[in-house]
Amino acid sequence: MIETVFRCEDLPRADRFDFWREQMAQLMAPMEMTTDHTRDFRGEVRILQFGAASVWPTKFREMNFRRTPKLIRQSDPELYHFSFIQQGNLQVSQSRQESAHRAEGLYVVDTSRPFDCVAFGGPPGGVGLEVPKALIPVPHDRIDRLLARPIPVHEGVGALLTGFLARLATDRSLSPSDGPRLGTVLIDLAAALLAHAVEADDALPPETRRHALALRVQSFIQRNLSDQELSPATIAAAHHISVGHLHRLFRARDTTVSGWIRQQRLDRVRRDLTDPGLRTVPIHELAARWGFAHPAVFSRAFRAAYGMPPSDYRHLALVSCAPGATPRRPVRTDTHTRPSAPPQAPVTS
């Protein structure tokens, strides 16, 4: 992953807005920009490059920006630009479609077509995603129907994409080697979202459909970990696939459905054991909250995964959090079992 950062606040006030316009023209695409805040403009952009895709955590003052036919002829990166709004309001128009967008909204524009955007009602902020149009295997004329319009984000692939963008925007633990793998995830999610929105799922390559389905299944499991009835059969039924198909999805990722569920539950309990605010909650209650019906089964699984009983893990974690203590993470005492940590991002390999 390659990261580029620029902040207007690092410059004299009189130079900030001109600097912003120049940087946005070079890094995104040439646009006409105006604002009522030229004397106190503030803006910050981080550009995270994940292979062919880039993620843009951004915040700035209220302003207007336009991409005109003349500027398109001057330079066109040929991208789909998704904007996930986390604060503020935007009025966006493209291809004779105009829509208002609020916090928790998502829309997409095409850099090859003129568009207008007005940011108002408080400083806007959010996360952008840019994907080359050539990598989206959905007919472009069908995507034209979506341009500037609200895209649902509260369920399905929309929820997966916006949740993933929000996580990438705040995760400081990523390494350069993560870039290409996470870029594949982003492009697959963007393609799946657009294909679903225009009812063109058949246009997606089989591997993209498998990736998108696997991510939806993982998200469903994580939302339902507390359900002790969660099983391969209930998961498959919720996604209208066979149990055999579900098992093949996880086998391709070198794990099993039950094993992945168990590890996700163990990790949730492990986090709770390190929370000082939960120090008085009995361990068996924490385990039950995350779907472990039998304390003895949980204890054996926890020890196998982390090399010590959950009571010892909690003690070491809370002692290290005490005032004046030297922070240290509980370590394994069992060297025969390889620890299994939860993935930092959706599994794609």
Side-chain angles (χ1 to χ4, degrees):
M1 181 195 70
I2 301 173
E3 178 175 3
T4 302
V5 181
F6 69 88
R7 302 179 182 86
C8 293
E9 286 85 342
D10 297 334
L11 298 172
R13 290 177 180 269
D15 299 333
R16 291 178 182 177
F17 190 60
D18 287 340
F19 172 76
W20 176 269
R21 288 189 298 189
E22 292 170 3
Q23 292 297 312
M24 294 300 288
Q26 293 177 15
L27 296 171
M28 182 181 177
M31 288 180 284
E32 294 179 356
M33 299 184 183
T34 59
T35 182
D36 294 332
H37 302 281
T38 54
R39 295 184 178 181
D40 62 345
F41 189 80
R42 295 188 299 277
E44 176 179 335
V45 174
R46 294 171 55 225
I47 304 173
L48 312 175
Q49 196 69 42
F50 296 100
S54 58
V55 174
W56 294 59
T58 309
K59 53 185 178 181
F60 51 92
R61 292 301 301 266
E62 300 91 333
M63 62 179 298
N64 302 346
F65 43 97
R66 301 179 62 217
R67 185 143 166 80
T68 65
K70 179 180 179 180
L71 292 174
I72 292 170
R73 289 192 296 271
Q74 176 182 328
S75 175
D76 182 15
E78 298 188 0
L79 302 167
Y80 285 123
H81 184 99
F82 296 80
S83 293
F84 174 44
I85 305 168
Q86 294 174 307
Q87 64 182 48
N89 300 273
L90 286 87
Q91 188 80 18
V92 184
S93 61
Q94 187 173 50
S95 294
R96 291 178 288 186
Q97 298 166 157
E98 184 172 359
S99 298
H101 303 273
R102 301 178 180 178
E104 301 303 314
L106 175 71
Y107 68 90
V108 62
V109 294
D110 181 347
T111 64
S112 302
R113 291 172 173 264
F115 66 78
D116 290 83
C117 181
V118 179
F120 63 97
V127 188
L129 167 65
E130 289 189 341
V131 177
K133 293 165 59 178
L135 297 183
I136 300 296
V138 180
H140 297 321
D141 59 339
R142 299 180 73 171
I143 295 176
D144 287 349
R145 310 175 201 165
L146 296 178
L147 298 177
R149 293 185 173 182
I151 299 174
V153 299
H154 297 297
E155 59 184 7
V157 183
L160 283 175
L161 178 60
T162 53
F164 194 28
L165 288 175
R167 183 173 179 179
L168 290 176
T170 58
D171 194 336
R172 301 286 181 166
S173 66
L174 299 174
S175 67
S177 62
D178 294 318
R181 180 172 62 90
L182 296 178
T184 298
V185 176
L186 288 165
I187 293 169
D188 283 343
L189 286 175
L193 177 62
L194 293 174
H196 179 74
V198 299
E199 300 180 348
D201 296 86
D202 291 343
L204 296 176
E207 188 61 22
T208 296
R209 292 200 297 270
R210 283 194 293 271
H211 281 174
L213 175 59
L215 293 172
R216 290 200 301 272
V217 168
Q218 289 178 343
S219 178
F220 176 85
I221 290 172
Q222 290 175 332
R223 294 196 307 271
N224 291 277
L225 288 174
S226 61
D227 182 0
Q228 296 180 0
E229 301 300 319
L230 187 67
S231 69
T234 61
I235 296 166
H239 293 83
H240 309 290
I241 60 176
S242 69
V243 173
H245 189 174
L246 177 68
H247 284 304
R248 287 193 294 274
L249 282 176
F250 280 80
R251 194 179 304 127
R253 288 155 176 78
D254 296 322
T255 187
T256 64
V257 182
S258 297
W260 203 81
I261 293 172
R262 181 174 59 254
Q263 185 54 50
Q264 295 300 302
R265 284 172 166 165
L266 285 169
D267 186 63
R268 299 308 192 280
V269 181
R270 180 185 62 81
R271 294 180 191 177
D272 287 351
L273 291 174
T274 65
D275 186 346
L278 299 174
R279 67 170 65 238
T280 62
V281 180
I283 291 175
H284 71 272
E285 289 188 15
L286 295 179
R289 289 180 183 180
W290 293 110
F292 288 103
H294 305 289
V297 173
F298 161 71
S299 294
R300 287 195 297 270
F302 190 94
R303 182 161 189 161
Y306 301 109
M308 65 182 70
S311 56
D312 292 354
Y313 193 98
R314 170 184 258 181
H315 174 73
L316 289 173
L318 295 181
V319 166
S320 69
C321 292
T326 301
R328 67 190 185 101
R329 183 178 179 141
V331 296
R332 293 176 52 84
T333 57
D334 176 7
T335 60
H336 299 291
T337 305
R338 182 168 57 90
S340 177
Q344 294 299 310
V347 179
T348 62
S349 58

